[in-house]
Amino acid sequence: MTGHIARIRTTRLIVGGRDITVTAAFVSLIVLLVAVAALTSDTFLTQTNLTNLLKQMVTTGLLAFGMLVVILTGGIDLSVGSMVAFSGILTAGLVTGLPIPVAMIIGVLSGVGFGLINGVLVSRFGLAAFVVTLASLTTIRGLAFVYSEVPIAPEDPAFFTLGSAMAGPIPVSTLIMLAVFAAGGVFLTRTPAGRSIVAIGGNAETVRLAGINVPRHVTLAYTISGACAGLAGVILASRVGIAQPSVGVAFELDAIAACVIGGASLAGGRGSTRATFGGVLVLVLINNLLNLYGVQSFWQQVLKGLIIIAVILVQRTNRVRG
Amino acid sequence: MTGHIARIRTTRLIVGGRDITVTAAFVSLIVLLVAVAALTSDTFLTQTNLTNLLKQMVTTGLLAFGMLVVILTGGIDLSVGSMVAFSGILTAGLVTGLPIPVAMIIGVLSGVGFGLINGVLVSRFGLAAFVVTLASLTTIRGLAFVYSEVPIAPEDPAFFTLGSAMAGPIPVSTLIMLAVFAAGGVFLTRTPAGRSIVAIGGNAETVRLAGINVPRHVTLAYTISGACAGLAGVILASRVGIAQPSVGVAFELDAIAACVIGGASLAGGRGSTRATFGGVLVLVLINNLLNLYGVQSFWQQVLKGLIIIAVILVQRTNRVRG
Amino acid sequence: MSLELRGVRQSYGDVEVLHGVDLTGRPGEVLAVVGANGAGKSTLIRILAGAQRMTSGELRIDGERVDLRSPHDAHARGIRTVYQELSIVGGLSVTENLLMGAFPRRRGGLIDWPEAHRRARELLDSAGFGAIDPRVLAGRLSVARQQMVEIAKALAGEVKVLVLDEPSAVLAGSDLESLFALIRRLRERGVLVVYVSHRLAEVMELADSIVVIKDGLIIATTEPAKTSEAELIGLMAGRRLEQIYPARREPPAETRLEISGLSRRGEFEDISFELRAGEIVGLFGLVGSGRSEMARCVFGAEPATKGNGAYRSPAEAIAAGLALVTEDRKRSGLILGMTVLDNIALATMRENRRGPLIDAAGRRRRVTEMIDRLSIQPGRCATMPVGALSGGNQQKAVLAKWLLAGPRVLILDEPTRGVDMATRVDIYRMVDDLARQGLAVLLISSDLTEVLGATDRVLVMREGRLAGDLRSETTTEDEILAHAIGQAA
Amino acid sequence: SSGTDPAAPAASASGDGKYTIGVANFMLGGPYFSGMDKAIAAQAKKKGNVEIISTDANGDAAKLASNVEDLLSKNVDAVIISGGPLESAPAVLNSIKAAGKPVVLVDRKFQTGEYTSWIGPDNEAIGRQNGEFLAEKLPDGGKVGIIKGGPADNTIGSARTNGVKSVLSAKSNITLVEAPDFGNWGSDGGLTVMESLLATNGDLKAVFCENDAMCLGAQRAIADAGKTDQIIIAGVDGQAEALKAIMDGTNYLVTGLNDADIIGAMGLDRAVEILGGAQVEKDTVVPSPRVTKENAKQFMNPDGSF
Ligand SMILES: Nc1ncnc2c1ncn2[C@@H]1O[C@H](COP(=O)(O)OP(=O)(O)OP(=O)(O)O)[C@@H](O)[C@H]1O
Ligand SMILES: Nc1ncnc2c1ncn2[C@@H]1O[C@H](COP(=O)(O)OP(=O)(O)OP(=O)(O)O)[C@@H](O)[C@H]1O
Ligand SMILES: [Mg+2]
Ligand SMILES: [Mg+2]
């Protein structure tokens, strides 16, 4: 809030392709969480639990990456949860008539389409991202229910493959999410489009005068977010084995939290894929730990909020010192 | 998004105490909505429906005013919905042992307390408002459930008074909300503290250099939002007659939407009480109209989103021309 | 009130930028501080303003040691500061910007707006800036007017020390005269004025004493009567500057840019001119005459309402070989949070690729070359956020970005604003070199000497219209000014 | 298929006659669901030899899957799933089956997938029962409003509404008016939806809500509109406040008992029976008695969790 902090903060960025936001303190924090978990719970290091962890991070991870891209432009995408629901129910509805991969691709494309619309409204019409995506959150959720009020459970067991297949000890869905992060990291740090997106969040006018098409890149960012949400929706439906139009409420909040825990600035221009991935890890670890300790559900919520505040306090202290 | 629009936008504000954000187009829009409603629905102008409208704007109205104050500083308060739940259930729980007014005051104070904590975390510790209030959204919701998992329905009928009493044709709760807006308008345009809050959103560093205590004013803003949420919670519990820990989910979204429809900038420094009140009216009218026309719920969602986009498009077109 | 700095040191992280500065200022004195970009002037000023706590050293006021903990502290002691970077809140009225934190109140604690506007009016009048209406939004004023509001703001209450960091950088003509008159009045009232400027002519005219700061150390203290501009420049730069403006070039060749009848409603009208290869054309005008708008319009940053020759978008202009160095680097020239590397490479990202990826090594090489060529300080700044550079070096970074794009037509809007003399000379020389290689240059400037010295031809704009087209060799400063204010014979 | 394929009757894993049973809640954020969770725990305590590990997926289907995997990795002997608004969870049921553990569903019967046993209400029957009651009370007919809960619990709600409709739509003198908006299963939603409904249909004679919480809100809206004497109310669940309102002789006349305490306790018993090797019924419908002023007192359970 204060200018002082703001000024110092801006010195931490994706710098010339090197990602320096993943501070030592942040890494230590994650290591600490893992160490505490491993030492205090017999279950934590079991194969089952680790696989669990890997599976749990898929949805939040995919959404967080898409959210990061949007946040970098200085925007926000509140509609991802609804897109998850829509893409899932659409895919499940289509598998009766279409080959599964085709249905799944159409599911992802529905996210791409919604993202495109969000992006155009924000960039070409100059509307505030918060309200545009809030409105599309409502509209897309409504459309999911209009498409099917009741959940759809495809019969064909092949529908479950994407969500439940394992590549050795690692779920295929986790690998997909990791691949998105890896490709996303390269995109944001090494391609002109990625750098433009980061730059737009820093100062859109400067970028425009550098001859870069700002609206197109902003639209691209929302489209990427939509694609990630579409993919997350398909994977989720496949994992659960049934698609519900009501799924995904408040998913956007976890995605945003992951970005910010990873040090992204909601004003745009600052944030990194690695640190966002760290943010996803922190969130998933918190949930897992509270579960393993058998903390009662409502107290879990109380603690989760407090831990998130503690984590960003640690993050911030470190940043100001650095 | 583009610098051009941004520049022109900053020309609409509270100037020297006069509130010029309520543009002719915005007023026409509301008049148009009302006119359409009155002409196409027999029910719209009935006493019952108008009273309904007045009652239904209370919660959104109170939350939107608090939200506006926070948004003016360049922050955001996602935790208002949870505060509504907490203050309501706390009040309902306390009336068995305490006089009703005392219990209600304590309920409002719970909001004040949470707001204060939010404010301190944002302003003194320099944490991002989005994450702080997202975390407190989770924590406070958890606390509401910890306080009482089950709804609490006070026996004493006097508990209902605040929420259901009428002053002539106008509900007392609506009058309270209007009083908050009136006082809030004076506060924001006519007092040094209010002006400081607006200025902080414009340029916190300049305000700091002018010798104004920025953290204190930012904290004040969140406290005001907390107080409004606390009050809204008490009124809602009294109106429903039963307090539930699960109430208020996603209330923050409507509050934010009202501010933005009223032309407030989420970057801070721009927004007005009157236009925010207009935003509240628009939202409540949309809901009311869709209900009067008997639009089915899922389609209501679809349309609500689309109408919000249409409204901000109108708002924006007007702003760019102006 | 006398002010004394003793052994002031300041570090940012591991880097010390002030190495023990001693400075004395007496009441009723205009103390000028001059030095190259990045010498540490603004840092010194932030310390005086209480906005930055010195790492070590002491500050004495009237002989008594004081510790300024906050800007508020300094303010309370009568030390007022106008910073190099504008800090106006655009969304508030001028009145509010002026009286922020000190509103007149009525009984009941409410702000008394009529009284507030009256006081603001008074303040502006007493500063000699009566042309500004206190009721308008500060964001609607031109940069020059905003700067004047900043100065007026510093004058509220009892002022004992007024610190001005490059106040004249955005002022010209009568505005500049008002400022000088103001400074002289303050001096008579016994105020100590600390004045930082790169315009040495001003310094010679105004100052009672001059300190020269170089690389964080005071290397000379002198008076206008005992020195010369050339000597000061030599001290600052650490070398002698033989000639400020390069010699004349060959006559220009083919036409590179042809503008005819260009208009944009409310800003400028019916502008026609052409730029030829190898030519440097100056564009002079009073603040608000519409030069910047016209340039932006030519570059496609803003649509024209009428006329030919302007591009439809920056992308199109760039593709045609245009480059525009805008006047407000903070708002439209730089991305302050990104690195120098990212900033300088911004306009050429697409050209320098290996497959779909940015050619990182090549990009780094090119940018480093450009940093060396323009001697952007500190020299190894490629991975620093550009916002951490001093003002003048930021300006060079913007220039570097556009030079990297290898333009055929270069439009420079106030390119030497806030740039020190030695660097200016470098910039003039560089622009001259480019012109010799066939570049066409349009140099927008409010500095008459520069307009006359660095160009072949001078266009003059007045109230949105072209009011003169003069040959630099034959015209005079007076003639240009006469065209600008509409009193040409 | 019937209950021919229960998981192999397991002696307790530790062999000391003690069982560990995992409870996977889809969401606890509602009094009915948290009541269910508590009832299961209370019954386990009563038994003495059963330890409970309870989890909450917070309404996230994927999290339910991981919670169950979590439970399986802790080697529980059986799993009880309180699916709440979740329609089905094939992946969850598959993983339990793969681990060879029995699974008991309480309240919510999943549409697809294999489970060992289910205990829950017949929502359509509750609706029919309410419909019949309203038909009795409105011999002269009139308008009956219906307030639906909405997305989260959709099929449970529509089963209840369909039950009501199946009875009342056969009566020629009764008109059904469905509120266009959802009450979202809460009292506050019930209140607003009722207010809107009263604005368009001031002449309602009765209102049916898909649960008691919404009815309680609707009751206030009716009171505020001064129509307490005109409109009677019918709900579902047996929430304490509703029972009280019925007992007190207000216009809240009837509810259909859907008792989390009973279902939860039966669910635990069922799991223990299965673990003991007993052959059990595959599906057990817990009767939902009609609760009116006459019998409300007997269902008021001061110690009940719901
Ligand atoms: N916040 C900061 N972090 C790191 N280095 C800084 C910071 N602010 C200034 N510096 C460095 O301190 C040195 C002095 O900067 P300063 O702004 O005082 O120069 P200046 O004399 O005012 O230059 P100019 O004439 O260009 O305005 C420069 O090298 C600059 O890069
Ligand atoms: N932020 C702004 N919003 C609205 N109008 C502006 C803004 N900035 C400048 N203007 C208007 O545009 C016109 C020209 O502005 P400006 O002062 O930049 O002209 P100029 O000829 O480029 O002068 P200079 O280059 O010396 O600043 C003026 O009438 C001014 O009031
Ligand atoms: Mg400086
Ligand atoms: Mg200009």
Side-chain angles (χ1 to χ4, degrees), chain B residues 179-192:
Chain B
V180 166
F181 262 91
V186 171
F187 170 72
L188 285 175
T189 55
R190 309 279 317 263
T191 67

Side-chain angles (χ1 to χ4, degrees), chain B residues 224-271:
Chain B
I224 291 174
S225 175
C228 289
L231 183 58
V234 171
I235 293 179
L236 186 63
S238 158
R239 181 164 165 236
V240 180
I242 187 166
Q244 313 159 101
S246 59
V247 87
V249 173
F251 276 16
E252 69 280 3
L253 296 182
D254 268 358
I256 297 168
C259 294
V260 180
I261 289 175
S265 155
L266 292 171
R270 185 163 57 78

Side-chain angles (χ1 to χ4, degrees), chain C residues 11-335:
Chain C
S11 309
Y12 292 109
D14 307 334
V15 189
E16 192 177 77
V17 297
L18 293 180
H19 316 291
V21 168
D22 299 314
L23 190 71
T24 311
R26 289 169 209 85
E29 176 186 41
V30 176
L31 173 65
V33 179
V34 299
N37 292 131
K41 304 179 296 296
S42 299
T43 305
L44 199 59
I45 278 170
R46 279 198 290 272
I47 289 171
L48 283 179
Q52 174 93 57
R53 297 190 73 177
M54 58 184 108
T55 315
S56 68
E58 60 181 59
L59 168 68
R60 287 174 180 274
I61 292 179
D62 291 332
E64 178 201 351
R65 186 173 173 175
V66 294
D67 182 15
L68 299 178
R69 285 197 188 78
S70 69
H72 195 55
D73 256 10
H75 202 266
R77 291 178 185 275
I79 303 176
R80 303 297 162 78
T81 310
V82 177
Y83 296 94
Q84 184 173 14
E85 310 293 339
L86 285 175
S87 64
I88 287 286
V89 183
L92 300 183
S93 66
V94 171
T95 298
E96 284 199 71
N97 273 286
L98 287 173
L99 302 185
M100 187 177 292
F103 291 110
R105 292 191 229 179
R106 296 194 304 201
R107 265 174 295 146
L110 297 188
I111 298 170
D112 182 348
W113 282 113
E115 170 65 12
H117 288 313
R118 204 187 55 71
R119 280 197 204 170
R121 172 83 278 150
E122 229 174 67
L123 204 54
L124 288 167
D125 285 344
S126 74
F129 306 146
I132 299 173
D133 178 358
R135 289 169 189 267
V136 304
L137 281 181
R140 282 196 181 172
L141 300 176
S142 66
V143 178
R145 292 277 156 91
Q146 290 184 9
Q147 175 72 294
M148 288 150 82
V149 172
E150 293 255 26
I151 294 169
K153 177 175 163 184
L155 298 177
E158 201 192 344
V159 187
K160 291 179 178 153
V161 179
L162 179 64
V163 185
L164 301 165
D165 194 357
E166 299 192 36
S168 59
V170 297
L171 299 181
S174 61
D175 292 337
L176 205 50
E177 289 308 319
S178 320
L179 174 65
F180 292 165
L182 172 67
I183 289 174
R184 292 196 177 101
R185 282 201 304 280
L186 290 171
R187 170 165 59 189
E188 272 152 36
R189 278 180 16 210
V191 173
L192 163 63
V193 180
V194 179
Y195 191 89
V196 175
S197 178
H198 289 294
R199 297 187 183 177
L200 296 180
E202 280 169 9
V203 168
M204 299 298 277
E205 190 185 329
L206 272 177
D208 298 305
S209 54
I210 302 173
V211 296
V212 182
I213 182 166
K214 179 167 188 286
D215 297 336
L217 271 174
I218 302 247
I219 54 160
T221 306
T222 175
E223 286 165 25
K226 295 180 185 159
T227 184
S228 66
E229 280 189 48
E231 190 191 7
L232 288 176
I233 292 168
L235 284 168
M236 283 158 57
R239 62 184 156 122
R240 287 208 68 78
L241 297 173
E242 305 305 334
Q243 194 184 1
I244 293 181
Y245 300 109
R248 302 292 162 197
R249 287 154 297 274
E250 300 298 304
E254 82 276 7
T255 303
R256 281 280 167 80
L257 181 71
E258 191 170 359
I259 301 296
S260 67
L262 196 67
S263 304
R264 182 172 156 79
R265 196 164 300 117
E267 282 171 353
F268 56 88
E269 214 164 319
D270 197 22
I271 305 285
S272 306
F273 66 91
E274 53 177 44
L275 289 186
R276 303 220 247 150
E279 185 184 37
I280 302 178
V281 177
L283 178 56
F284 183 80
L286 299 184
V287 171
S289 56
R291 297 162 299 168
S292 302
E293 270 65 25
M294 192 269 288
R296 287 170 60 84
C297 191
V298 168
F299 191 67
E302 233 86 61
T305 36
K306 266 213 314 266
N308 298 315
Y311 292 87
R312 275 178 305 178
S313 71
E316 208 176 272
I318 292 167
L322 261 70
L324 170 66
V325 174
T326 54
E327 62 179 334
D328 187 344
R329 58 176 176 262
K330 224 174 165 183
R331 206 184 309 174
S332 57
L334 294 172
I335 300 156

Side-chain angles (χ1 to χ4, degrees), chain A residues 145-272:
Chain A
F145 276 103
V146 167
Y147 182 79
S148 169
E149 259 185 67
V150 292
I152 303 179
E155 308 269 307
D156 189 343
F159 183 72
F160 309 151
T161 313
L162 182 66
S164 53
M166 304 285 287
I170 301 174
V172 169
S173 55
T174 311
L175 288 179
I176 294 177
M177 186 268 289
L178 292 174
V180 166
F181 262 92
V186 171
F187 170 72
L188 286 174
T189 54
R190 306 281 317 269
T191 67
R195 290 320 281 163
S196 299
I197 283 175
V198 179
I200 286 167
N203 187 339
E205 180 66 2
T206 299
V207 175
R208 184 174 83 94
L209 293 182
I212 294 165
N213 188 328
V214 171
R216 186 179 301 158
H217 284 93
V218 171
T219 306
L220 176 64
Y222 285 86
T223 310
I224 290 175
S225 176
C228 288
L231 183 58
V234 171
I235 292 179
L236 185 64
S238 160
R239 172 147 185 249
V240 182
I242 184 166
Q244 300 203 116
S246 60
V247 87
V249 172
F251 276 15
E252 69 279 5
L253 296 182
D254 268 357
I256 297 167
C259 294
V260 180
I261 290 175
S265 155
L266 292 171
R270 187 165 54 79
S272 90

